[in-house]
Amino acid sequence: RRYVAGSLGVVFPCYHQRSKARNCENLMAANHSFTGSDDTADEAVRSTCDDATVCKRFAVSMNYWKDPYIQYFIKQPNERKAPEINRGYYARVKAVNILMDAFIKKTSCNCQVINLGAGLDTTFWRLKDQNLLPKKYFEIDFPMIVLRKIHLIKTKPPLSKPIIETHSSSSLLIDGCSMDSDRYTIIGQDLRDLPVLMERLKKFGLNTKLPTLLLAECVLVYITPDKSAELIKWASSTFNTTMFINYEQVNMTDRFGQVMIENLQRRQCNLAGVDICQTLETQKDRFLLNGWDHANTMDMMTVYNSLPQADIQRIEHLEFLDEKELLQQLLQHYCICWATKDSGDFGIRDIMFGNI
């Protein structure tokens, strides 16, 4: 029996052919999102925000990818993260970036991005540095997380300066649990209250006529299927040209998935939407049944094998991985799904790994 950590910093047993035991922490920890209405449950999920950021910070320090901004959001972790964790995060970050960048390029940056449950994500700064900034970049998360992020932005010039450079004023509009600028908006809002979310997005300049990308990383799994369907259907009915990228668990009905769920429940993290995480087909169907024209999905092991092989070879030389079977087992329990509607004929339906 060997113990490895699940998507939310929860350690669960992984059975495989070797009996060697080792602790691995926080593989592909979720950004966090929205469970039931219970405050304790919400707090348990909010705590995973740091799990994800710590793991990303360590992987960056090991040169898996470059992110000069993450250091301003979290201190360098004291303990090392296992190679499986670093490779898992590498696959997740690269996969999301590939799909997002392809959408932005297809629209020539004349688009907007809505990052749902964004946590301490640094994508805005990456896009600006790479001249891929959309017309507006929105982030939504719990008010407590947003307050913390705004404070860090206000007190860290390397974070605030790039925002002000894209803003028509020398100061940012900060009002309670929100921050607004010409190109970047952060909103503290529970995704489960869709009418209020729609109202606040409209207040901060959401343009329903622009091509729009929505992103959710380990977010919908915390929302009941009815609530997530409501959100997905709103997006498909609101934007004519749109893509939804969803990264989360899959194959959760086998023993590996069941143990993950049990341990999350002991941490009071209730996977309210786990029924949709049964198979790749159930992940696709959630979009096809709610107004989206096309949907594709791949487990993260397949994605890993589809990423540019020169870079895969580079990162595999960073650390020795003694048991590749464990990495495979872990990545087979996460997937990325991307759904599209392309009324404007921008070619976003053609976005696929391997041909970008």
Side-chain angles (χ1 to χ4, degrees):
R1 178 181 295 188
R2 183 179 181 185
Y3 288 89
V4 297
S7 67
L8 296 165
V10 177
V11 177
F12 55 91
C14 170
Y15 298 87
H16 59 96
Q17 57 191 0
R18 296 193 187 184
S19 60
K20 175 183 175 184
R22 176 169 62 138
N23 281 330
C24 299
E25 297 177 317
N26 302 324
L27 178 73
M28 294 180 290
N31 282 355
H32 60 271
S33 187
F34 313 86
T35 56
S37 59
D38 180 74
D39 289 342
T40 303
D42 282 355
E43 179 56 34
V45 179
R46 280 194 294 266
S47 69
T48 66
C49 172
D50 282 350
D51 293 344
T53 311
V54 164
C55 289
K56 287 181 179 179
R57 173 76 195 271
F58 184 80
V60 167
S61 75
M62 294 293 293
N63 201 32
Y64 278 83
W65 71 91
K66 296 186 184 303
D67 184 346
Y69 299 99
I70 198 166
Q71 62 183 307
Y72 303 112
F73 288 105
I74 204 84
K75 294 180 180 179
Q76 176 68 11
N78 294 323
E79 72 281 359
R80 292 182 62 86
K81 302 300 177 186
E84 294 90 346
I85 298 171
N86 298 325
R87 292 192 192 184
Y89 264 100
Y90 167 85
R92 169 179 171 173
V93 169
K94 287 294 181 181
V96 170
N97 288 354
I98 284 171
L99 295 177
M100 178 183 292
D101 293 0
F103 179 90
I104 292 173
K105 289 174 182 177
K106 291 279 189 183
T107 64
S108 302
C109 296
N110 188 34
C111 62
Q112 57 199 354
V113 174
I114 305 174
N115 191 335
L116 304 166
L120 301 178
D121 187 75
T122 59
T123 298
F124 168 84
W125 291 272
R126 178 186 71 83
L127 293 175
K128 182 181 183 300
D129 286 350
Q130 296 179 0
N131 294 316
L132 287 174
L133 200 60
K135 288 289 186 183
K136 193 144 189 179
Y137 188 91
F138 295 89
E139 290 184 350
I140 319 292
D141 214 315
F142 276 120
M144 288 179 64
I145 299 295
V146 166
L147 282 170
R148 179 180 170 193
K149 190 166 192 176
I150 291 172
H151 172 75
L152 290 169
I153 290 171
K154 285 167 53 180
T155 56
K156 308 285 186 181
L159 297 177
S160 58
K161 184 180 177 183
I163 302 172
I164 292 173
E165 287 174 352
T166 65
H167 189 45
S168 56
S169 171
S170 60
S171 61
L172 305 174
L173 177 60
I174 298 174
D175 179 18
C177 296
S178 65
M179 184 198 79
D180 189 35
S181 70
D182 291 349
R183 307 290 289 276
Y184 183 33
T185 293
I186 311 176
I187 302 171
Q189 175 59 42
D190 192 326
L191 292 179
R192 295 165 297 195
D193 192 343
L194 184 58
V196 175
L197 175 61
M198 292 165 55
E199 180 184 330
R200 301 200 71 196
L201 283 168
K202 183 178 179 181
K203 172 186 173 183
F204 288 110
L206 182 71
N207 184 348
T208 58
K209 298 186 183 303
L210 275 181
T212 300
L213 170 70
L214 297 99
L215 169 65
E217 296 184 61
C218 290
V219 170
L220 302 184
V221 70
Y222 289 102
I223 304 176
T224 62
D226 287 347
K227 285 292 184 182
S228 65
E230 187 180 334
L231 181 63
I232 290 167
K233 197 166 191 174
W234 165 77
S236 68
S237 62
T238 299
F239 308 106
N240 291 324
T241 298
T242 183
M243 174 186 278
F244 200 124
I245 302 172
N246 182 43
Y247 168 90
E248 66 184 3
Q249 294 89 338
V250 74
N251 297 324
M252 295 296 281
T253 56
D254 66 13
R255 180 56 185 158
F256 190 94
Q258 288 301 305
V259 174
M260 184 190 298
I261 292 170
E262 291 165 7
N263 282 282
L264 286 165
Q265 288 173 341
R266 279 196 282 271
R267 250 186 95 181
Q268 299 186 6
C269 283
N270 176 33
L271 299 183
V274 74
D275 287 349
I276 308 296
C277 302
Q278 295 180 26
T279 66
L280 295 176
E281 288 302 311
T282 58
Q283 287 283 7
K284 278 175 50 174
D285 287 347
R286 79 187 316 167
F287 291 96
L288 297 176
L289 295 173
N290 285 289
W292 294 80
D293 294 338
H294 304 281
N296 300 280
T297 187
M298 297 167 67
D299 70 60
M300 292 306 295
M301 190 69 242
T302 305
V303 171
Y304 184 86
N305 292 328
S306 302
L307 294 174
Q309 288 305 294
D311 205 43
I312 290 291
Q313 291 175 14
R314 178 190 67 82
I315 65 109
E316 288 185 346
H317 281 92
L318 294 175
E319 297 179 280
F320 176 69
L321 180 64
D322 60 348
E323 296 183 57
K324 292 185 178 180
E325 296 88 351
L326 174 59
L327 177 66
Q328 180 174 345
Q329 187 177 30
L330 289 165
L331 294 185
Q332 286 174 343
H333 284 81
Y334 291 87
C335 70
I336 192 162
C337 182
W338 63 106
T340 59
K341 276 185 61 183
D342 193 9
S343 301
D345 199 22
F346 284 86
I348 62 172
R349 177 186 173 182
D350 302 326
I351 295 174
M352 299 284 290
F353 291 101
N355 67 357
I356 298 174

